[in-house]
């Protein structure tokens, strides 16, 4: 959708998602290894992902997906 909407920050957004994917894999391995100090690190990570990324970064492309007066390309 971002590509179709012409979002100029698409490549940077892809890099951010790649970072989160890599972090998720690291957390999975740490959880399997029963790393005890994982909880505070995971809390910080989840806060960053859910609050900073989803509520802030993801909203940067909203105007490109729902431009005023134009048909929503998601329909």
């Amino acid at each position: 959708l971002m590509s179709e909407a012409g979002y100029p920050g698409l490549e940077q957004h892809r890099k951010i998602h790649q970072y989160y994917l890599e972090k998720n894999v690291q957390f999975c391995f740490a959880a399997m290894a029963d790393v005890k100090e994982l909880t505070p690190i995971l809390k910080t990570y989840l806060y960053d992902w859910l609050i900073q990324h989803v509520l802030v970064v993801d909203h940067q492309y909203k105007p490109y997906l729902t431009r005023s007066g134009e048909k929503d390309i998601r329909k």
Side-chain angles (χ1 to χ4, degrees):
L1 288 175
M2 285 189 258
S3 178
E4 291 176 28
Y7 177 57
L10 178 59
E11 287 309 313
Q12 180 61 29
H13 202 87
R14 284 183 174 149
K15 290 177 185 177
I16 293 169
H17 275 251
Q18 182 62 37
Y19 163 80
Y20 284 121
L21 178 62
E22 291 168 6
K23 291 299 285 184
N24 288 340
V25 170
Q26 291 173 5
F27 282 122
C28 286
F29 281 118
M32 288 187 290
D34 200 26
V35 175
K36 301 297 182 201
E37 63 274 1
L38 183 62
T39 302
I41 297 167
L42 185 56
K43 286 168 105 176
T44 301
Y45 168 78
L46 289 174
Y47 175 84
D48 178 59
W49 176 40
L50 294 172
I51 303 300
Q52 180 62 28
H53 184 77
V54 174
L55 296 180
V56 176
V57 176
D58 280 347
H59 281 262
Q60 292 173 351
Y61 61 79
K62 183 178 179 181
Y64 292 88
L65 298 181
T66 56
R67 292 189 178 123
S68 179
E70 293 182 9
K71 182 181 177 184
D72 188 341
I73 66 170
R74 295 175 290 173
K75 294 181 180 179

